[in-house]
Amino acid sequence: LVFKRATAADLDFAPPKRPQTPQPPFPYVVEDLTYDNPAAQIKLAGTLTLPRATAPVPAVILVSGSGPQGRIEEGLYAVLADHLTRAGIAVLYVDDRGVGKSTGNFATATIEDFANDVLAGIAYLKTRKEIDAKKLGVIGHSEGGLIAPMCAAKSSEVAFIVMMAGPGVTIEEILYEQAALTARVQGAKEDAIAQNRKTLEKIFAILKTEKDPAAADKKLAELAAAEVAAAPEAQKKALEASLSTNFKMTNSPWFRFMLTFDPRLVLRQVKVPVLALNGELDLQVPPQQNLPEIAKALTASGNKNFKTVTLPKLNHLFQTAQTGAVSEYTKIEETIAPAALTLITEWIANQTGLANKPR
């Protein structure tokens, strides 16, 4: 045996280079701050990037996807914030409640709680003299793409929203499609995909009919035992571990709420300008399933200022990808495709009148 000391670059799990990550010095102000959500009695910690301007500027708050996220979600928001701020748009991005320097309990919160956290951020931005209080927007990615229209429906202070891979149908519908698309990319056979859907349907049926979490836990455990018993011997251990992990997440207050919540009901209340964009290769929130439903719901609301865009060759994180598989995310050096950055920035500049101002 010949041993050699390996460097991070030699290892398969070495983090990719991310050349888009912003590096100081910056041509704008970067301020770490905290503010209150008095209704929840928590403090939220974030970063505000401010253009050096002589007059108040438009501003956006960035909202992360599902799961507890710090203020930099895979670096996507740092790159997006940098691009927007260089164009004259202030950006606030925040640690989720219970994450980083934000207080509160993430595990017991629902999407409505997260929407209220965002509205607390909007209220904070209104207090800043550097910011135009009439030009405040919300940019949400994935689950954040549902929170954005919720905020617009709840508050007249939200002037525009951007939905990045935001859902247009229920999470139940998305998860069926997501599971099938992901399995096909991995080479799974159609009978295995169909069997997996049946398992998902059984899980969701328990969650929708059994309101008591403890009783649901018991039924999910019984389902898991039956599924493992029926599986081939070589797959039993992996399946048991997978089901155990997934059941803990699905029986949470957050998932229970999301399972039956229909984004179309919220979108039909949104009257402000909306940009909804997806990557063509998004397997997690498929564009062909969600963008048409977003457009239908906004049309039903009477909203005449919205745009839906499918960006070629981009995945769920808006990276240029080969297949869109989750396994590619950490191997791609691009943080977010320039086409997505340009589209979002130019659209906001047009909505806020920034595009008409001399630079």
Side-chain angles (χ1 to χ4, degrees):
L1 295 178
V2 178
F3 292 94
K4 175 186 175 184
R5 185 177 296 278
T7 65
D10 297 321
L11 305 176
D12 289 339
F13 56 81
K17 295 177 182 177
R18 289 291 165 90
Q20 289 174 290
T21 300
Q23 301 295 334
F26 302 116
Y28 50 81
V29 177
V30 180
E31 180 183 339
D32 289 333
L33 50 83
T34 60
Y35 54 90
D36 294 326
N37 176 349
Q41 297 184 322
I42 62 173
K43 283 190 177 295
L44 296 163
T47 297
L48 178 65
T49 55
L50 274 169
R52 299 184 188 277
T54 56
V57 298
V60 296
I61 182 167
L62 306 183
V63 190
S64 66
S66 58
Q69 302 281 352
R71 68 190 73 175
I72 301 178
E73 182 191 13
E74 298 295 336
L76 183 153
Y77 282 161
V79 175
L80 181 54
D82 179 77
H83 196 271
L84 290 168
T85 310
R86 289 174 186 269
I89 302 160
V91 180
L92 174 63
Y93 49 113
V94 185
D95 294 333
D96 289 343
R97 61 165 67 191
V99 178
K101 294 184 179 180
S102 292
T103 64
N105 188 340
F106 185 93
T108 59
T110 68
I111 193 169
E112 285 189 321
D113 296 319
F114 300 137
N116 289 331
D117 289 346
V118 174
L119 292 177
I122 292 289
Y124 170 76
L125 289 173
K126 286 185 64 182
T127 69
R128 298 292 298 246
K129 67 182 189 309
E130 307 97 328
I131 290 171
D132 188 336
K134 294 182 179 180
K135 297 177 180 178
L136 302 176
V138 180
I139 301 177
H141 176 245
S142 197
E143 181 187 313
L146 172 55
I147 293 171
M150 287 180 74
C151 292
K154 281 172 170 277
S155 172
S156 60
E157 306 294 345
V158 178
F160 59 89
I161 62 171
V162 178
M163 302 171 64
M164 299 178 67
V169 299
T170 66
I171 293 301
E172 180 175 7
E173 294 171 83
I174 289 174
L175 288 176
Y176 291 141
E177 186 73 4
Q178 179 189 115
L181 291 173
T182 301
R184 288 190 185 105
V185 164
Q186 295 172 343
K189 295 181 180 178
E190 290 302 315
D191 58 344
I193 293 171
Q195 181 58 47
N196 184 56
R197 171 156 184 152
K198 289 179 182 178
T199 301
L200 287 175
E201 288 173 348
K202 292 174 186 177
I203 294 169
F204 297 155
I206 291 171
L207 295 170
K208 288 188 291 185
T209 57
E210 183 52 74
K211 304 304 180 186
D212 177 23
D217 263 338
K218 183 178 179 181
K219 290 181 179 180
L220 288 170
E222 291 170 353
L223 172 61
E227 292 288 327
V228 170
E233 195 63 38
Q235 298 175 17
K236 288 184 186 295
K237 286 188 178 180
L239 180 61
E240 185 175 20
S242 174
L243 289 174
S244 175
T245 300
N246 288 331
F247 286 169
K248 288 178 183 177
M249 182 271 287
T250 57
N251 201 23
S252 68
W254 164 80
F255 189 85
R256 280 175 161 272
F257 182 93
M258 288 286 289
L259 185 61
T260 56
F261 187 84
D262 193 338
R264 288 164 285 211
L265 300 178
V266 170
L267 289 162
R268 288 173 194 149
Q269 302 173 53
V270 176
K271 309 296 184 183
V272 298
V274 178
L275 172 63
L277 60 156
N278 269 81
E280 176 190 24
L281 299 179
D282 188 341
L283 304 183
Q284 292 187 256
V285 183
Q288 66 276 14
Q289 179 189 43
N290 291 275
L291 285 182
E293 292 301 312
I294 291 171
K296 286 179 188 176
L298 291 171
T299 300
S301 79
N303 192 324
K304 291 181 170 46
N305 189 353
F306 71 86
K307 184 176 184 178
T308 61
V309 182
T310 300
L311 292 166
K313 299 182 180 179
L314 302 192
N315 63 15
H316 183 62
L317 298 184
F318 294 89
Q319 301 166 303
T320 304
Q322 296 297 316
T323 68
V326 174
S327 58
E328 290 181 329
Y329 293 177
T330 57
K331 298 175 183 178
I332 299 172
E333 292 191 353
E334 181 179 71
T335 303
I336 177 172
L341 292 170
T342 299
L343 173 62
I344 294 167
T345 303
E346 290 184 350
W347 184 85
I348 293 174
N350 286 324
Q351 299 306 316
T352 59
L354 197 62
N356 302 323
K357 294 182 179 179
R359 301 298 307 280

